[in-house]
Amino acid sequence: MRVVLIGAGRLATHFGKALHRAGHDIVAVYSRQRAHAEALCQVVGGVPADRFEALPMQADVFVVSLTDQALQQHVAQFTKGREGQLFVHTAGSVPMDVFQGYVQRYGVCYPMQTFSKEREVDFAEIPVFIEGGDPAIRRLAESVSGRVYELSSADRQYLHLAAVFACNFANHCYALSADILNSHGVPFDVMLPLIDETARKIHELSPLDAQTGPAVRYDTNVIDKHLSLLASMPEAREVYRLLSESIHIIQATNS
């Protein structure tokens, strides 16, 4: 397919590379910062653009990987004159009908993964959630991933919510752990075997069955001691308290 990438951030970079490896022709890349579009074009090909008007008027698919706010703010601009073209966005929380009234053919192609530009990922293993009636959307997704699922906009919101808990909030807990360790001269890498084993366990156990720690037993002696140690970190102290209570309630409810 001839593909136009609208966006050159982390997701667009990895998706663009995957599309390029799959044999698609990346004809243009847009970013409001031209240097970002140029950098991605050097990898996947295509012509860089920092104005929507400079993008081709036709392609097999326009893949929109902008921030949620930018997508909704600029949809009228990047679809202008391209009303008959196929547009898909890659956002987790934006409904498919963001395109309604602007183009006739549209949908969603949401790769659920955390992306960093400096880390390569195996796109074939990434679950991709699609929506929309155009068969080209499924062909596009299946060309880069072996795990393609259809999901409505309403359900995708909950998928994205669940991903925030499983990824973003978990990573924030790593950051809090690093702060505590650093303040006492302990390197964070001592946590890596623990983190790796925790992640490995949930390939075999449910998260409920894999849960350990003082909150499972609701060992108030340990919990209170930890809370006192966090007196100088009130935000972390509140996170600890809320998570401990949540773990205890969920474990007690399901025991």
Side-chain angles (χ1 to χ4, degrees), residues 46-247:
V47 177
D50 57 5
R51 295 180 300 109
F52 297 127
E53 297 80 9
L55 290 172
M57 299 304 292
Q58 293 184 333
D60 293 312
V61 60
F62 289 75
V63 178
V64 185
S65 297
L66 302 174
T67 65
D68 292 1
Q69 182 178 3
L71 168 58
Q72 296 174 79
Q73 181 179 352
H74 297 298
V75 61
Q77 295 171 258
F78 59 70
T79 57
K80 185 177 181 180
R82 305 178 180 91
E83 290 80 4
Q85 302 299 299
L86 173 62
F87 281 79
V88 298
H89 74 65
T90 60
S93 292
V94 178
M96 180 177 69
D97 63 11
V98 68
F99 294 116
Q100 192 170 16
Y102 298 102
V103 292
Q104 289 81 46
R105 302 164 60 215
Y106 55 86
V108 176
C109 195
Y110 167 53
M112 192 186 68
Q113 182 56 282
T114 176
F115 295 104
S116 298
K117 282 190 177 181
E118 62 274 13
R119 283 188 58 83
E120 292 299 324
V121 296
D122 183 359
F123 220 94
E125 295 295 322
I126 296 175
V128 177
F129 296 87
I130 61 172
E131 186 180 11
D134 197 304
I137 300 172
R138 176 170 285 277
R139 290 200 304 272
L140 184 76
E142 289 181 342
S143 73
V144 296
S145 173
R147 304 180 65 185
V148 176
Y149 308 89
E150 292 189 17
L151 197 68
S152 69
S153 289
D155 288 334
R156 186 165 26 86
Q157 293 182 89
Y158 289 97
L159 176 75
H160 192 240
L161 171 61
V164 168
F165 273 98
C167 175
N168 306 130
F169 288 172
N171 190 73
H172 181 63
C173 287
Y174 299 157
L176 293 177
S177 173
D179 283 346
I180 293 168
L181 293 172
N182 291 338
S183 66
H184 293 277
V186 181
F188 179 70
D189 63 12
V190 302
M191 287 291 166
L192 296 181
L194 176 64
I195 292 170
D196 292 342
E197 175 59 16
T198 302
R200 280 192 295 265
K201 279 200 300 186
I202 60 171
H203 285 267
E204 301 173 8
L205 303 173
S206 72
L208 190 68
D209 291 335
Q211 187 70 60
T212 61
V216 173
R217 308 180 301 274
Y218 212 60
D219 187 337
T220 55
N221 289 331
V222 175
I223 291 171
D224 290 345
K225 177 64 174 177
H226 287 171
L227 289 172
S228 68
L229 293 174
L230 289 168
S232 62
M233 302 174 64
E235 293 85 2
R237 188 177 191 275
E238 185 65 5
V239 170
Y240 184 103
R241 184 186 66 79
L242 289 171
L243 286 177
S244 294
E245 289 182 359
S246 179
I247 290 169

